[in-house]
Amino acid sequence: MPKEILEISNVSVKFGDAMILKNISFSVNEKEIVGIIGPNGCGKTTLLNAISGFVPLESGTISYNGQDIMDLPPYKRAQLGIGRSFQHAGIFRDLSVEDNIVIGLEKAEKYPWYWMFTPKFRNKTDRTVKESLEEVDLLAHRKSLAGILSGGQIRLLELARLKLFHGNILLIDEPTAGVAPVLRTQLAAIIRKLNREHGFAIVVIEHNLKFLFDLVDKVVVLVDGEKYMEGKPEEIQKDKRLQEIYFGGSV
Amino acid sequence: MGYFLTQLARLAENVALAIGSHLTIAVGNIFFLGGSTMFCFGAYALAISQKLGVDPWLAAAISLICSFIFSFLFVLAYTKLSNDSFTVFTLASMLAFEALVKSWDDVTGGVLGIAGIMRPESIGKLKELVIFQIIFMIILLFAEYVILKTVLGRSLLGMRESKQFVESLGTSTKMIGGAAIISSSLMAAAAGVTTVWRIQFLDASFGSVAMLILSVTIAILAAKPKIRWLMLSAIFVTFLPEVLRFTPLPSAMVGHLRILIYSVMLIIVLLTISKKLMPQKRFI
């Protein structure tokens, strides 16, 4: 029986008078990849923001590893082990590519503040940065500002940083947004590697359904802020109503 | 020679004062306008200690300790208020402190101020003081350089773009912002201490709006989180009004015109350069 690490129970989120999420419930097991799909504005990103602690809940509960995390601020949730990537990539465009890795690494490894003045930590950091960037073909851009990278390279950099994160779940928001088709296979391979080799459970939002169905173990479909259905990718694809109404006839 | 030394001292004081604003405003995009309050607070803590017979160096240490404690008031405000309210709070702190200084006659000397503030013996002459101030300025610049290389600096630079991105890495932006505000306050207070040793007189107008405009202009004109930009900006802002000395205007008017020049410069910088140099805030 796989261990449940994230449980979302009857979660509702309200912005002003508008109910963005209505009684959403699902769970994520250890080393499971869960995809979230739904039309634009159905509340997918809001759901990830609620799990990360960036938006308050109107009602419901979220627990992580059996612990209620409702009262924890976002940074505490990250410290507990909930990693996050963002729709427009959480990369600091005014920092160098190297610093974007280092800012994640020094926090994940709990380096002391003076680490950069000690050769031991400097060498370790240098090695890790090199390995991380080599893996995503960005070593040549090590000293460049992250802002000059292409959309796909920025995504790869974000995933390289997520790999260093110490936790057991990653929330990834639209990894293929603004990414050239040629890089999508590489992105999918990295996400799979994060799951299989590094043991992360992953919740991923994606509009590219082929990309998503090839990747995930389970899909949650949101429509108008409500959970429409949940199941394995094959089950979702077979759902007649979903095909007709949401996917326009076929997947 | 005296004019040249005074200008050098002013440059060192302005840089020391502006480093704090640079760290918070240009690096972290935290609009902390309490620098001039802390500049004034540091100076008054020093002057009052010296008035009570404390040795100047010890008085400087007491002043910095008091400033460190006082700066937590700003940190508390930063953690509790929204960005805009925090900026207004820090701005209002200057007016509140000025009112307190003016009305607390027994301790601060009220509008008449405190005169005859002694310099430490080892930097008793103006030349010695200026050398001390320049060394002190270099130390503060180095301190900012070190901060920018640490997790504090990187997180502050990250916060320029998005607090949420920084929080998602497990870093408390309140703690980082608080640390930046304390560092900034201490630097401003230290600048106040060295300035009051130079002018040896202190009244309520010491940390006025003019100082605030000056430090914010230097910080925003620097815009980029680089030490060399800060230095260039400080040199430009400090020496630009000096051209007024070569005009036949009465000296009282020159003082007012200087503030006017700083204000106009700040408006121009805010309207033009800062938009191009400051990063766009990104949302999740």
Side-chain angles (χ1 to χ4, degrees):
Chain A
M1 185 78 179
K3 189 185 159 200
E4 191 178 277
I5 55 167
L6 183 72
E7 190 186 2
I8 288 120
S9 179
N10 296 314
V11 163
S12 296
V13 172
K14 199 174 177 184
F15 289 160
D17 289 334
M19 209 66 172
I20 307 298
L21 293 177
K22 299 163 203 161
N23 291 317
I24 305 285
S25 299
F26 69 93
S27 60
V28 181
N29 292 330
E30 207 174 28
K31 296 181 183 174
E32 186 180 33
I33 307 185
V34 176
I36 298 179
I37 60 170
N40 282 333
C42 71
K44 302 183 294 294
T45 298
T46 304
L47 178 60
L48 291 201
N49 287 343
I51 300 170
S52 309
F54 292 120
V55 296
L57 301 193
E58 178 69 11
S59 62
T61 56
I62 299 173
S63 57
Y64 173 70
N65 280 335
Q67 182 192 345
D68 185 344
I69 56 168
M70 303 282 290
D71 295 329
L72 299 180
Y75 78 93
K76 289 254 183 193
R77 297 187 195 199
Q79 284 173 358
L80 273 181
I82 302 177
R84 177 75 199 264
S85 90
F86 294 87
Q87 200 170 356
H88 305 293
I91 286 301
F92 304 105
R93 289 159 203 260
D94 270 11
L95 293 186
S96 69
V97 169
E98 177 176 22
D99 275 347
N100 266 287
I101 295 287
V102 172
I103 197 173
L105 177 70
E106 63 191 349
K107 201 67 208 172
E109 298 283 345
K110 295 189 172 63
Y111 280 6
W113 70 269
Y114 54 85
W115 71 263
M116 72 294 303
F117 304 113
T118 51
K120 182 186 138 196
F121 282 111
R122 281 179 78 122
N123 293 340
K124 191 180 167 195
T125 305
D126 194 54
R127 220 172 26 246
T128 313
V129 168
K130 202 174 161 209
E131 282 167 10
S132 302
L133 294 179
E134 240 168 12
E135 201 175 331
V136 290
D137 302 326
L138 288 175
L139 192 57
H141 299 283
R142 184 175 178 160
K143 299 287 176 194
S144 314
L145 281 183
I148 65 152
L149 300 179
S150 70
Q153 288 173 319
I154 281 179
R155 282 291 174 190
L156 289 170
L157 178 59
E158 192 178 32
L159 290 177
R161 192 174 67 195
L162 274 182
K163 198 195 89 180
L164 304 171
F165 185 76
H166 282 200
N168 47 11
I169 189 163
L170 301 177
L171 312 176
I172 303 179
D173 197 351
E174 293 196 38
T176 66
V179 175
V182 68
L183 278 177
R184 286 179 190 163
T185 321
Q186 196 180 352
L187 280 175
I190 292 172
I191 294 173
R192 227 172 257 124
K193 197 172 173 185
L194 286 170
N195 173 250
R196 288 179 192 162
E197 290 180 22
H198 299 276
F200 287 111
I202 293 171
V203 179
V204 57
I205 293 177
E206 184 52 58
H207 279 293
N208 185 330
L209 297 180
K210 179 165 180 351
F211 177 91
L212 189 95
F213 289 149
D214 286 347
L215 194 67
V216 302
D217 305 307
K218 183 169 85 178
V219 181
V220 175
V221 185
L222 298 185
V223 178
D224 289 338
E226 287 181 90
K227 188 168 91 174
Y228 170 71
M229 71 179 292
E230 177 181 341
K232 291 193 176 299
E234 347 23 297
E235 292 164 7
I236 301 291
Q237 290 176 73
K238 280 178 196 157
D239 184 80
K240 287 265 187 291
R241 192 174 160 220
L242 206 63
Q243 282 186 17
E244 283 163 18
I245 300 172
Y246 177 52
F247 301 119
S250 64
V251 181
Chain B
M1 188 65 179
Y3 171 76
F4 176 69
L5 284 176
T6 305
Q7 293 314 313
L8 267 181
R10 280 190 56 232
L11 176 67
E13 289 156 11
N14 290 348
V15 170
L17 173 63
I19 288 173
S21 301
H22 186 248
L23 192 63
T24 47
I25 298 172
V27 178
N29 222 346
I30 301 166
F31 267 77
F32 171 56
L33 303 181
S36 111
T37 310
M38 293 311 299
F39 180 74
C40 201
F41 183 93
Y44 265 101
L46 175 96
I48 293 165
S49 303
Q50 286 195 217
K51 209 170 97 175
L52 293 171
V54 177
D55 170 78
W57 286 118
L58 184 60
I62 291 170
S63 163
L64 290 180
I65 292 167
C66 292
S67 303
F68 174 73
I69 296 165
F70 187 69
S71 66
F72 277 88
L73 185 68
F74 291 117
V75 176
L76 183 71
Y78 177 71
T79 56
K80 300 287 176 200
L81 302 175
S82 68
N83 289 351
D84 294 343
S85 303
F86 172 71
T87 304
V88 172
F89 175 85
T90 58
L91 186 63
S93 72
M94 187 190 64
L95 304 173
F97 191 76
E98 196 175 327
L100 177 76
V101 163
K102 275 182 185 163
S103 57
W104 202 5
D105 285 11
D106 300 347
V107 178
T108 62
V111 285
L112 296 174
I114 301 169
I117 299 160
M118 300 300 291
R119 293 172 193 154
E121 239 175 74
S122 51
I123 50 170
K125 290 179 185 158
L126 182 63
K127 192 178 168 186
E128 292 162 345
L129 176 71
V130 172
I131 292 169
F132 169 76
Q133 284 183 307
I134 289 171
I135 293 169
F136 185 65
M137 174 189 81
I138 293 167
I139 291 170
L140 288 186
L141 284 170
F142 183 69
E144 195 192 6
Y145 173 80
V146 170
I147 287 173
L148 289 176
K149 296 281 174 200
T150 64
V151 61
L152 173 61
R154 256 187 295 277
S155 300
L156 276 173
L157 286 167
M159 282 164 64
R160 266 158 68 96
E161 292 185 56
S162 168
K163 281 186 181 179
Q164 286 96 338
F165 292 176
V166 176
E167 292 253 334
S168 75
L169 298 170
T171 303
S172 164
T173 52
K174 284 184 177 169
M175 195 179 281
I176 293 292
I181 288 166
I182 292 171
S183 309
S184 173
S185 299
L186 280 177
M187 287 173 182
V193 166
T194 62
T195 306
V196 87
W197 273 342
R198 178 173 64 84
I199 58 176
Q200 300 184 294
F201 171 75
L202 186 58
D203 69 4
S205 63
F206 184 73
S208 61
V209 179
M211 287 314 286
L212 173 68
I213 293 174
L214 174 95
S215 62
V216 174
T217 307
I218 294 174
I220 294 184
L221 186 63
K224 290 232 165 181
K226 303 270 182 198
I227 304 293
R228 59 179 179 273
W229 281 69
L230 173 67
M231 269 314 289
L232 285 173
S233 170
I235 290 169
F236 180 72
V237 172
T238 305
F239 295 119
L240 181 69
E242 287 309 302
V243 293
L244 293 173
R245 287 190 186 274
F246 304 104
T247 59
L249 293 165
S251 59
M253 195 185 278
V254 168
H256 294 303
L257 277 176
R258 179 182 288 158
I259 299 169
L260 185 69
I261 287 177
Y262 290 149
S263 309
V264 170
M265 208 188 300
L266 184 60
I267 292 166
I268 293 170
V269 165
L270 282 172
L271 287 176
T272 56
I273 303 170
S274 69
K275 274 185 188 165
K276 287 177 191 155
L277 296 182
M278 289 285 200
Q280 255 196 325
K281 279 267 174 198
R282 290 157 64 205
F283 300 96
I284 57 172

mmCIF file with all atom_site columns, all heavy atoms in Angstrom, chain B residues 192-203:
data_model
loop_
_atom_site.group_PDB
_atom_site.id
_atom_site.type_symbol
_atom_site.label_atom_id
_atom_site.label_alt_id
_atom_site.label_comp_id
_atom_site.label_asym_id
_atom_site.label_entity_id
_atom_site.label_seq_id
_atom_site.pdbx_PDB_ins_code
_atom_site.Cartn_x
_atom_site.Cartn_y
_atom_site.Cartn_z
_atom_site.occupancy
_atom_site.B_iso_or_equiv
_atom_site.pdbx_formal_charge
_atom_site.auth_seq_id
_atom_site.auth_comp_id
_atom_site.auth_asym_id
_atom_site.auth_atom_id
_atom_site.pdbx_PDB_model_num
ATOM 1   N N   . GLY B 1 192 ? 25.228 58.991 10.970 1.00 0.00 ? 192 GLY B N   1
ATOM 2   C CA  . GLY B 1 192 ? 24.819 60.105 11.836 1.00 0.00 ? 192 GLY B CA  1
ATOM 3   C C   . GLY B 1 192 ? 25.889 60.412 12.886 1.00 0.00 ? 192 GLY B C   1
ATOM 4   O O   . GLY B 1 192 ? 26.197 61.578 13.160 1.00 0.00 ? 192 GLY B O   1
ATOM 5   N N   . VAL B 1 193 ? 26.482 59.363 13.442 1.00 0.00 ? 193 VAL B N   1
ATOM 6   C CA  . VAL B 1 193 ? 27.526 59.538 14.463 1.00 0.00 ? 193 VAL B CA  1
ATOM 7   C C   . VAL B 1 193 ? 28.729 60.285 13.888 1.00 0.00 ? 193 VAL B C   1
ATOM 8   O O   . VAL B 1 193 ? 29.206 61.271 14.461 1.00 0.00 ? 193 VAL B O   1
ATOM 9   C CB  . VAL B 1 193 ? 27.961 58.153 15.025 1.00 0.00 ? 193 VAL B CB  1
ATOM 10  C CG1 . VAL B 1 193 ? 29.251 58.257 15.819 1.00 0.00 ? 193 VAL B CG1 1
ATOM 11  C CG2 . VAL B 1 193 ? 26.848 57.566 15.878 1.00 0.00 ? 193 VAL B CG2 1
ATOM 12  N N   . THR B 1 194 ? 29.203 59.841 12.722 1.00 0.00 ? 194 THR B N   1
ATOM 13  C CA  . THR B 1 194 ? 30.406 60.485 12.163 1.00 0.00 ? 194 THR B CA  1
ATOM 14  C C   . THR B 1 194 ? 30.095 61.915 11.692 1.00 0.00 ? 194 THR B C   1
ATOM 15  O O   . THR B 1 194 ? 30.942 62.786 11.769 1.00 0.00 ? 194 THR B O   1
ATOM 16  C CB  . THR B 1 194 ? 30.996 59.668 10.989 1.00 0.00 ? 194 THR B CB  1
ATOM 17  O OG1 . THR B 1 194 ? 30.037 59.600 9.952  1.00 0.00 ? 194 THR B OG1 1
ATOM 18  C CG2 . THR B 1 194 ? 31.406 58.273 11.419 1.00 0.00 ? 194 THR B CG2 1
ATOM 19  N N   . THR B 1 195 ? 28.863 62.113 11.223 1.00 0.00 ? 195 THR B N   1
ATOM 20  C CA  . THR B 1 195 ? 28.496 63.460 10.764 1.00 0.00 ? 195 THR B CA  1
ATOM 21  C C   . THR B 1 195 ? 28.458 64.445 11.931 1.00 0.00 ? 195 THR B C   1
ATOM 22  O O   . THR B 1 195 ? 28.945 65.574 11.836 1.00 0.00 ? 195 THR B O   1
ATOM 23  C CB  . THR B 1 195 ? 27.120 63.445 10.050 1.00 0.00 ? 195 THR B CB  1
ATOM 24  O OG1 . THR B 1 195 ? 27.166 62.482 9.020  1.00 0.00 ? 195 THR B OG1 1
ATOM 25  C CG2 . THR B 1 195 ? 26.773 64.797 9.465  1.00 0.00 ? 195 THR B CG2 1
ATOM 26  N N   . VAL B 1 196 ? 27.878 63.993 13.029 1.00 0.00 ? 196 VAL B N   1
ATOM 27  C CA  . VAL B 1 196 ? 27.757 64.898 14.174 1.00 0.00 ? 196 VAL B CA  1
ATOM 28  C C   . VAL B 1 196 ? 29.135 65.179 14.790 1.00 0.00 ? 196 VAL B C   1
ATOM 29  O O   . VAL B 1 196 ? 29.376 66.265 15.335 1.00 0.00 ? 196 VAL B O   1
ATOM 30  C CB  . VAL B 1 196 ? 26.735 64.338 15.199 1.00 0.00 ? 196 VAL B CB  1
ATOM 31  C CG1 . VAL B 1 196 ? 27.345 63.387 16.186 1.00 0.00 ? 196 VAL B CG1 1
ATOM 32  C CG2 . VAL B 1 196 ? 26.012 65.460 15.918 1.00 0.00 ? 196 VAL B CG2 1
ATOM 33  N N   . TRP B 1 197 ? 30.064 64.276 14.648 1.00 0.00 ? 197 TRP B N   1
ATOM 34  C CA  . TRP B 1 197 ? 31.434 64.547 15.104 1.00 0.00 ? 197 TRP B CA  1
ATOM 35  C C   . TRP B 1 197 ? 32.074 65.636 14.244 1.00 0.00 ? 197 TRP B C   1
ATOM 36  O O   . TRP B 1 197 ? 32.882 66.409 14.705 1.00 0.00 ? 197 TRP B O   1
ATOM 37  C CB  . TRP B 1 197 ? 32.280 63.275 15.034 1.00 0.00 ? 197 TRP B CB  1
ATOM 38  C CG  . TRP B 1 197 ? 32.185 62.432 16.281 1.00 0.00 ? 197 TRP B CG  1
ATOM 39  C CD1 . TRP B 1 197 ? 31.744 62.829 17.508 1.00 0.00 ? 197 TRP B CD1 1
ATOM 40  C CD2 . TRP B 1 197 ? 32.534 61.045 16.421 1.00 0.00 ? 197 TRP B CD2 1
ATOM 41  N NE1 . TRP B 1 197 ? 31.791 61.783 18.395 1.00 0.00 ? 197 TRP B NE1 1
ATOM 42  C CE2 . TRP B 1 197 ? 32.285 60.666 17.758 1.00 0.00 ? 197 TRP B CE2 1
ATOM 43  C CE3 . TRP B 1 197 ? 33.032 60.081 15.563 1.00 0.00 ? 197 TRP B CE3 1
ATOM 44  C CZ2 . TRP B 1 197 ? 32.514 59.389 18.254 1.00 0.00 ? 197 TRP B CZ2 1
ATOM 45  C CZ3 . TRP B 1 197 ? 33.265 58.806 16.049 1.00 0.00 ? 197 TRP B CZ3 1
ATOM 46  C CH2 . TRP B 1 197 ? 33.010 58.458 17.378 1.00 0.00 ? 197 TRP B CH2 1
ATOM 47  N N   . ARG B 1 198 ? 31.687 65.658 12.966 1.00 0.00 ? 198 ARG B N   1
ATOM 48  C CA  . ARG B 1 198 ? 32.268 66.690 12.095 1.00 0.00 ? 198 ARG B CA  1
ATOM 49  C C   . ARG B 1 198 ? 31.664 68.053 12.403 1.00 0.00 ? 198 ARG B C   1
ATOM 50  O O   . ARG B 1 198 ? 32.408 69.020 12.621 1.00 0.00 ? 198 ARG B O   1
ATOM 51  C CB  . ARG B 1 198 ? 32.036 66.349 10.615 1.00 0.00 ? 198 ARG B CB  1
ATOM 52  C CG  . ARG B 1 198 ? 32.569 67.420 9.663  1.00 0.00 ? 198 ARG B CG  1
ATOM 53  C CD  . ARG B 1 198 ? 32.483 66.999 8.214  1.00 0.00 ? 198 ARG B CD  1
ATOM 54  N NE  . ARG B 1 198 ? 31.111 66.806 7.749  1.00 0.00 ? 198 ARG B NE  1
ATOM 55  C CZ  . ARG B 1 198 ? 30.308 67.779 7.307  1.00 0.00 ? 198 ARG B CZ  1
ATOM 56  N NH1 . ARG B 1 198 ? 30.730 69.031 7.288  1.00 0.00 ? 198 ARG B NH1 1
ATOM 57  N NH2 . ARG B 1 198 ? 29.087 67.506 6.894  1.00 0.00 ? 198 ARG B NH2 1
ATOM 58  N N   . ILE B 1 199 ? 30.327 68.127 12.464 1.00 0.00 ? 199 ILE B N   1
ATOM 59  C CA  . ILE B 1 199 ? 29.727 69.457 12.630 1.00 0.00 ? 199 ILE B CA  1
ATOM 60  C C   . ILE B 1 199 ? 29.647 69.888 14.098 1.00 0.00 ? 199 ILE B C   1
ATOM 61  O O   . ILE B 1 199 ? 29.468 71.065 14.400 1.00 0.00 ? 199 ILE B O   1
ATOM 62  C CB  . ILE B 1 199 ? 28.348 69.562 11.948 1.00 0.00 ? 199 ILE B CB  1
ATOM 63  C CG1 . ILE B 1 199 ? 27.382 68.517 12.496 1.00 0.00 ? 199 ILE B CG1 1
ATOM 64  C CG2 . ILE B 1 199 ? 28.446 69.426 10.449 1.00 0.00 ? 199 ILE B CG2 1
ATOM 65  C CD1 . ILE B 1 199 ? 25.980 68.618 11.931 1.00 0.00 ? 199 ILE B CD1 1
ATOM 66  N N   . GLN B 1 200 ? 29.795 68.953 15.010 1.00 0.00 ? 200 GLN B N   1
ATOM 67  C CA  . GLN B 1 200 ? 29.861 69.203 16.460 1.00 0.00 ? 200 GLN B CA  1
ATOM 68  C C   . GLN B 1 200 ? 28.661 69.970 17.018 1.00 0.00 ? 200 GLN B C   1
ATOM 69  O O   . GLN B 1 200 ? 28.764 70.658 18.019 1.00 0.00 ? 200 GLN B O   1
ATOM 70  C CB  . GLN B 1 200 ? 31.175 69.915 16.815 1.00 0.00 ? 200 GLN B CB  1
ATOM 71  C CG  . GLN B 1 200 ? 32.387 69.070 16.422 1.00 0.00 ? 200 GLN B CG  1
ATOM 72  C CD  . GLN B 1 200 ? 33.691 69.689 16.836 1.00 0.00 ? 200 GLN B CD  1
ATOM 73  O OE1 . GLN B 1 200 ? 34.054 70.748 16.321 1.00 0.00 ? 200 GLN B OE1 1
ATOM 74  N NE2 . GLN B 1 200 ? 34.381 69.056 17.748 1.00 0.00 ? 200 GLN B NE2 1
ATOM 75  N N   . PHE B 1 201 ? 27.562 69.880 16.314 1.00 0.00 ? 201 PHE B N   1
ATOM 76  C CA  . PHE B 1 201 ? 26.336 70.534 16.750 1.00 0.00 ? 201 PHE B CA  1
ATOM 77  C C   . PHE B 1 201 ? 25.156 69.718 16.224 1.00 0.00 ? 201 PHE B C   1
ATOM 78  O O   . PHE B 1 201 ? 25.231 69.126 15.160 1.00 0.00 ? 201 PHE B O   1
ATOM 79  C CB  . PHE B 1 201 ? 26.271 71.969 16.194 1.00 0.00 ? 201 PHE B CB  1
ATOM 80  C CG  . PHE B 1 201 ? 24.942 72.628 16.416 1.00 0.00 ? 201 PHE B CG  1
ATOM 81  C CD1 . PHE B 1 201 ? 24.584 73.084 17.678 1.00 0.00 ? 201 PHE B CD1 1
ATOM 82  C CD2 . PHE B 1 201 ? 24.027 72.778 15.363 1.00 0.00 ? 201 PHE B CD2 1
ATOM 83  C CE1 . PHE B 1 201 ? 23.332 73.669 17.885 1.00 0.00 ? 201 PHE B CE1 1
ATOM 84  C CE2 . PHE B 1 201 ? 22.789 73.369 15.576 1.00 0.00 ? 201 PHE B CE2 1
ATOM 85  C CZ  . PHE B 1 201 ? 22.448 73.811 16.835 1.00 0.00 ? 201 PHE B CZ  1
ATOM 86  N N   . LEU B 1 202 ? 24.089 69.726 17.020 1.00 0.00 ? 202 LEU B N   1
ATOM 87  C CA  . LEU B 1 202 ? 22.957 68.889 16.621 1.00 0.00 ? 202 LEU B CA  1
ATOM 88  C C   . LEU B 1 202 ? 21.650 69.574 16.987 1.00 0.00 ? 202 LEU B C   1
ATOM 89  O O   . LEU B 1 202 ? 21.476 70.015 18.125 1.00 0.00 ? 202 LEU B O   1
ATOM 90  C CB  . LEU B 1 202 ? 23.077 67.551 17.370 1.00 0.00 ? 202 LEU B CB  1
ATOM 91  C CG  . LEU B 1 202 ? 22.102 66.437 17.053 1.00 0.00 ? 202 LEU B CG  1
ATOM 92  C CD1 . LEU B 1 202 ? 22.147 66.063 15.589 1.00 0.00 ? 202 LEU B CD1 1
ATOM 93  C CD2 . LEU B 1 202 ? 22.436 65.214 17.894 1.00 0.00 ? 202 LEU B CD2 1
ATOM 94  N N   . ASP B 1 203 ? 20.755 69.701 16.010 1.00 0.00 ? 203 ASP B N   1
ATOM 95  C CA  . ASP B 1 203 ? 19.402 70.157 16.344 1.00 0.00 ? 203 ASP B CA  1
ATOM 96  C C   . ASP B 1 203 ? 18.372 69.343 15.556 1.00 0.00 ? 203 ASP B C   1
ATOM 97  O O   . ASP B 1 203 ? 18.743 68.424 14.824 1.00 0.00 ? 203 ASP B O   1
ATOM 98  C CB  . ASP B 1 203 ? 19.238 71.673 16.122 1.00 0.00 ? 203 ASP B CB  1
ATOM 99  C CG  . ASP B 1 203 ? 19.284 72.064 14.665 1.00 0.00 ? 203 ASP B CG  1
ATOM 100 O OD1 . ASP B 1 203 ? 19.369 71.151 13.810 1.00 0.00 ? 203 ASP B OD1 1
ATOM 101 O OD2 . ASP B 1 203 ? 19.253 73.260 14.366 1.00 0.00 ? 203 ASP B OD2 1
#
